[in-house]
Amino acid sequence: MHPLLRRLGATTLVGCVAAVGLVGTAAPASAATGAPTLPGTVVVNEIESDGGTPGDWIELANTTSAPVDVSGLVLKDNDDTHAFTLPAGTTLPALGFLVVDESTDPATGLSFGLGKADSVRLFDADGTTLLDSYSWTSAAATTYGRLPDRTGAFGVTPASSRGTANAAATTPTPTDPGTTPAPTPAPAPAPAPAPVATTLRINEVESNGDDTDWVELTNVGSTAVDVSGWSFLDGDDSHAKYVLPAGSTVAPGGFFVIDQAQGVRPGFDFGLGGADSARVYDTSGALALTYSWTEHSLVSYGRCPDGTGEFATTTTSTKGAANDCSSPVRLNEVESSGGTPGDWVELTTVGATPVDVSGFVLRDSDDTHRYVLPTGSVIQPGGFLVLDELTATTPAGFDFGLGGADSVRLFARDGVTLVDSYAWTQHAAVTWGRSPDGTGDVTGTLEATKGSANIAAGTVLTQPWPGGPDELPLDDEATFTGDLSGLDYEPSGTSADGTLWAVQNGDGLLYRIVSDGAGGWAPATDSGWSAGKALRYPDGTGRVDAEGVTVTGDSSDGGVYVSSERNNAASSVSRPSVLRYDVAAAGSATTLVATQEWNLAADFPGLGANAGLEGVTWVPDAWLTERGFVDESTGTAYDPAAHPGHGDGLFFVGVEGTASVYAYALSTDGSAERVATIATSFDLVADVQFDADLDALWVVCDEACSGRTALFDVDASGAFAEQVVYEAPLNADRGLANEGFAVADAATCTDGARQTFYADDADTDGFSLRAGTLPCEAPTAPTDPTTPVVPGTGAGAPGTGAGAGAGTGTGAGTVPAGTTPTRVAAAPTRAGALAYTGGADARLGAALAALLLLAGAGGVLVSRRRA
């Protein structure tokens, strides 16, 4: 990335080097103010990264009308080991410029070159507080510079203007009509348009769909900016721009959110991808703001400090508020009265990477009580770290107890910077703890869970995945190019592998995927199926945004049914539909025209065009009546005869925007009647799948819920109720965009397991189709967590506080994410505080319900669908 040979140069302040250090030009130098450097006071103004004179250089600018002492400020490229500190006595005059050159002498200039894809970062004298930055992916034909100087957005300048005001585009001098004009040379290729000057900045981006995708703007100027009529687009020019409504204004220092449409709320009707861009255009259509990323952030991407800092993964999502780039470490649970072996404090992290907390300082409410966390104290993402009170079995613990009216405070290594704290006025009956872990709202919990996830009343209890620990690629690399979505498994009727149906939403394709009998699966190559078949609406037009797929009665002979959010040829219009395709009659045709469409838009007024029907599955009437299912349209037991022409079962659709599942009777006359509304605990529904062998309905969430799945059954009231939630398989990537899920039938069981299938919409690492396993017999009954089961018996020293064991000192120094006890509390990312925990007895009902549900998986049903 950087030149191997550094070009000769010197560090200059455009003009001269004084004996006392660098001195600025432009305005007469005066005594430095000596005030701390504030973000926005000194900015990066122009950058030469490709062979300037005498080499690469960086120009800084003073945005104020007073001189600024810039001694000690630090310049870096994208490599933290490349750093240059401005010498003592360096003053930047009012509204002046300073140029730092590449140099062979590291004391006078940059000892590193700037690459064609690189960054320039300006830090305060502490070397960590980012004052300004700019990144690029290719060298500018001239330089990169702000237009206008100091406040404008970066763009490619018309000409280098080292140490002076940046050159603006000029209008050519008119030709004298009395002369013969010189031949006009062929124009050079036009560079990509530079963003227009504005005090607005893209400040935070949420692209992983925890609720909706959104982009936050902030205003670094001193006057409000009216953005009414401005427009927003992602990186796909085929999407229609979203125009900001009248009255949209960004106040100085304020925040403005451009949100995805949801329900009746307006917004943009496309999603933000894992590799995508956010682009904002002014009312003239000129590009004003842009930011790009190559993968989803596990939280969000945000500037720190707001408006001026470099983008980084935030600690918590702060939609419409100042960004949080603080330490991700949180106090998670506190035992202040009679723990085992004494009082203890549990830490966790809400970040995406391990955090070394060695040297952090723990105090209670008394400043003289001080405990320094030992070397090797590391918290893995989603893991836990327990700090014990000093006892005979924990000789290296903290040497103070926690009182009935007390507090716990965690400080950074300097002992001054507060990382997190919690205070209480009386002992908890059990413990104080966050629920969900690290971020949750105040709520009661069921029990103390030292070194493991908190369990609170009202939260969904999750179980480890009962099958194998892996999700392994099934398809050859680049078989699919992305957007693979819903799945359904059609049994063969024997112990042989069946057929896997899959849909791709971007191009509106249906795939028939078959097994080679040796563990490999690929699109069928006969009858025109090799590249999938294009799906059309009943009139033969459109491009169906195919999201879910199912067959009825375990057979595609009755048609393949596809759920869709919209027509991709009119992507801004919501069209939540179920469509039927006769694949048996299609022959070798590569285009399928729907024989029927059930458009459910009237049932979902205001539903966003990208928030519609994600999944679909078919459930036989015989199963529903046997379970005592109640029809919400009548309030009485479900009677199939009350819905003439609907066939032998109901279609259950999962809706992304409402995070719910709905059951419909779809009749041959094109009418649709809602029979059930099923709420879920998920942030969205990615797929639904009826499992006759398990006698349950699977509801699937994607990376927005860390790959969790849930099982639903009909409860005593006749309504579908969530019985158990499973974590993703232990070794699975919880960031996979698994929008499709299917389960092979029990007749295929091999070595006690049947296959599960996952469709990754993002085609991560070039693979879209993955497989795992599920036991053919009932999963093991949940362990009673009265004594938490904590994985790991590593070599952590007893009582050092670095172990995560249950007070015995035998826990390892770190606990990896995913290695939680048998029952844990689900942990969606939401803001919250420490909560009071309750007693332990309430846990038994939920565990028993899950056990009774899963017991039905022990035998293979003679008639799978009971059709």
Side-chain angles (χ1 to χ4, degrees):
M1 301 263 302
H2 295 288
L4 295 177
L5 297 177
R6 299 189 182 98
R7 293 178 290 275
L8 180 63
T11 307
T12 65
L13 185 59
V14 190
C16 60
V17 180
V20 294
L22 301 178
V23 182
T25 61
S30 60
T33 63
T37 305
L38 300 176
T41 302
V42 179
V43 298
V44 177
N45 197 58
E46 190 175 3
I47 299 166
E48 168 60 79
S49 66
D50 190 28
T53 304
D56 294 344
W57 48 264
I58 301 167
E59 178 187 88
L60 306 180
N62 182 354
T63 66
T64 72
S65 57
V68 176
D69 184 350
V70 292
S71 306
L73 297 192
V74 180
L75 281 166
K76 298 180 182 180
D77 62 357
N78 64 4
D79 185 339
D80 283 335
T81 65
H82 295 166
F84 172 72
T85 302
L86 271 63
T90 305
T91 300
L92 186 52
L95 301 176
F97 303 98
L98 178 148
V99 174
V100 181
D101 280 302
E102 186 179 4
S103 174
T104 55
D105 184 353
T108 62
L110 306 177
S111 60
F112 49 88
L114 300 176
K116 293 185 178 181
D118 209 339
S119 302
V120 167
R121 297 176 293 164
L122 176 66
F123 294 88
D124 208 345
D126 60 7
T128 58
T129 301
L130 188 67
L131 301 177
D132 196 16
S133 66
Y134 181 68
S135 301
W136 59 96
T137 57
S138 61
T142 51
T143 62
Y144 287 111
R146 292 186 183 275
L147 292 173
D149 290 288
R150 305 175 185 86
T151 60
F154 269 94
V156 177
T157 62
S160 174
S161 53
R162 171 192 170 97
T164 60
N166 289 341
T170 58
T171 302
T173 303
T175 302
D176 185 336
T179 63
T180 301
T184 303
V196 297
T198 178
T199 58
L200 297 180
R201 302 288 185 269
I202 293 176
N203 195 55
E204 190 174 6
V205 173
E206 167 63 83
S207 67
N208 62 9
D210 290 342
D211 181 16
T212 59
D213 293 342
W214 47 266
V215 172
E216 176 190 88
L217 309 181
T218 192
N219 183 358
V220 299
S222 57
T223 58
V225 177
D226 186 351
V227 292
S228 304
W230 288 42
S231 56
F232 172 73
L233 188 61
D234 63 352
D236 187 343
D237 287 329
S238 70
H239 291 158
K241 292 180 180 177
Y242 169 63
V243 179
L244 275 59
S248 300
T249 303
V250 191
F255 304 98
F256 180 88
V257 175
I258 304 173
D259 212 340
Q260 192 176 22
Q262 187 179 54
V264 297
R265 186 188 66 207
F268 55 89
D269 60 5
F270 44 83
L272 300 179
D276 210 342
S277 299
R279 295 181 287 173
V280 180
Y281 299 84
D282 67 13
T283 53
S284 73
L287 181 65
L289 304 167
T290 184
Y291 174 65
S292 300
W293 57 96
T294 58
E295 61 182 357
H296 288 306
S297 168
L298 292 181
V299 187
S300 67
Y301 289 116
R303 293 184 185 270
C304 290
D306 291 286
T308 60
E310 189 174 9
F311 277 95
T313 296
T314 61
T315 300
T316 57
S317 179
T318 54
K319 185 177 185 179
N323 290 341
D324 181 1
C325 298
S326 63
S327 168
V329 177
R330 297 289 184 268
L331 296 168
N332 197 55
E333 192 173 6
V334 177
E335 169 60 80
S336 64
S337 179
T340 304
D343 294 344
W344 48 265
V345 176
E346 178 188 88
L347 309 181
T348 191
T349 174
V350 297
T353 58
V355 180
D356 186 347
V357 290
S358 306
F360 278 43
V361 179
L362 183 74
R363 292 189 176 102
D364 62 359
S365 59
D366 185 340
D367 282 336
T368 65
H369 294 167
R370 183 175 186 272
Y371 172 71
V372 178
L373 275 63
T375 300
S377 299
V378 177
I379 311 174
Q380 297 294 331
F384 305 96
L385 183 78
V386 172
L387 312 178
D388 278 303
E389 184 183 4
L390 176 66
T391 68
T393 58
T394 55
F398 55 87
D399 60 356
F400 49 88
L402 302 176
D406 207 342
S407 65
V408 170
R409 297 175 294 163
L410 183 68
F411 294 86
R413 293 180 182 89
D414 59 10
V416 176
T417 303
L418 185 66
V419 172
D420 198 12
S421 66
Y422 182 70
W424 58 92
T425 57
Q426 60 182 0
H427 289 305
V430 183
T431 63
W432 297 100
R434 292 186 186 272
S435 181
D437 295 280
T439 59
D441 296 327
V442 175
T443 182
T445 67
L446 299 176
E447 60 194 78
T449 53
K450 181 178 183 179
S452 62
N454 294 340
I455 299 175
T459 61
V460 177
L461 303 179
T462 69
Q463 305 284 350
W465 179 249
D470 300 310
E471 288 179 16
L472 301 177
L474 276 183
D475 55 329
D476 290 334
E477 194 168 357
T479 298
F480 306 96
T481 57
D483 291 331
L484 199 68
S485 193
L487 297 174
D488 193 39
Y489 184 90
E490 179 182 353
S492 67
T494 70
S495 60
D497 289 325
T499 299
L500 196 62
W501 295 96
V503 285
Q504 192 251 49
N505 56 68
D507 297 318
L509 300 174
L510 174 67
Y511 287 95
R512 183 166 67 90
I513 301 173
V514 295
S515 167
D516 63 8
W521 291 74
T525 57
D526 64 309
S527 303
W529 285 106
S530 59
K533 297 197 177 191
L535 301 177
R536 300 289 182 259
Y537 287 94
D539 62 1
T541 66
R543 193 169 82 247
V544 177
D545 181 59
E547 300 285 354
V549 61
T550 193
V551 300
T552 63
D554 276 348
S555 174
S556 57
D557 290 344
V560 173
Y561 294 79
V562 171
S563 61
S564 173
E565 293 185 323
R566 58 189 172 180
N567 175 3
N568 280 333
S571 62
S572 63
V573 180
S574 178
R575 189 171 174 173
S577 298
V578 176
L579 301 107
R580 179 188 180 275
Y581 294 91
D582 190 344
V583 296
S588 60
T590 56
T591 297
L592 298 175
V593 177
T595 60
Q596 194 149 19
E597 177 185 8
W598 292 269
N599 190 330
L600 306 179
D603 264 15
F604 299 98
L607 185 68
N610 195 43
L613 308 190
E614 278 289 320
V616 62
T617 194
W618 182 83
V619 181
D621 285 340
W623 187 89
L624 293 167
T625 55
E626 180 183 304
R627 306 299 269 197
F629 173 59
V630 170
D631 184 338
E632 77 172 32
S633 68
T634 63
T636 60
Y638 171 60
D639 178 8
H643 304 280
H646 83 282
D648 299 322
L650 301 180
F651 289 86
F652 285 62
V653 295
V655 177
E656 177 181 358
T658 64
S660 296
V661 177
Y662 306 86
Y664 280 92
L666 304 181
S667 298
T668 53
D669 62 2
S671 64
E673 188 168 11
R674 185 183 294 182
V675 180
T677 301
I678 307 167
T680 78
S681 63
F682 291 148
D683 291 326
L684 60 84
V685 173
D687 205 357
V688 287
Q689 187 72 232
F690 177 63
D691 189 335
D693 295 316
L694 201 56
D695 267 333
L697 179 72
W698 290 98
V699 177
V700 178
C701 189
D702 57 17
E703 76 275 18
C705 309
S706 300
R708 294 187 179 99
T709 54
L711 281 173
F712 283 70
D713 192 11
V714 179
D715 65 13
S717 72
F720 274 85
E722 191 173 73
Q723 302 294 328
V724 62
V725 176
Y726 286 123
E727 296 289 341
L730 183 63
N731 298 334
D733 180 354
R734 286 157 174 76
L736 292 176
N738 284 338
E739 292 192 359
F741 176 77
V743 187
D745 62 307
T748 63
C749 282
T750 303
D751 297 328
R754 53 184 173 135
Q755 274 194 304
T756 54
F757 302 89
Y758 304 84
D760 175 10
D761 178 76
D763 196 47
T764 305
D765 298 327
F767 300 103
S768 292
L769 190 62
R770 291 174 173 81
T773 60
L774 188 68
C776 294
E777 305 225 345
T780 304
T783 300
D784 185 337
T786 304
T787 303
V789 180
V790 180
T793 55
T800 62
T808 63
T810 60
T814 61
V815 178
T819 54
T820 53
T822 303
R823 281 174 68 242
V824 299
T829 303
R830 293 189 176 95
L834 286 169
Y836 179 73
T837 65
D841 294 339
R843 69 184 182 272
L844 298 178
L848 179 60
L851 176 59
L852 292 175
L853 170 70
L854 295 174
V860 179
L861 299 179
V862 174
S863 176
R864 279 182 38 79
R865 304 286 183 182
R866 298 188 179 130

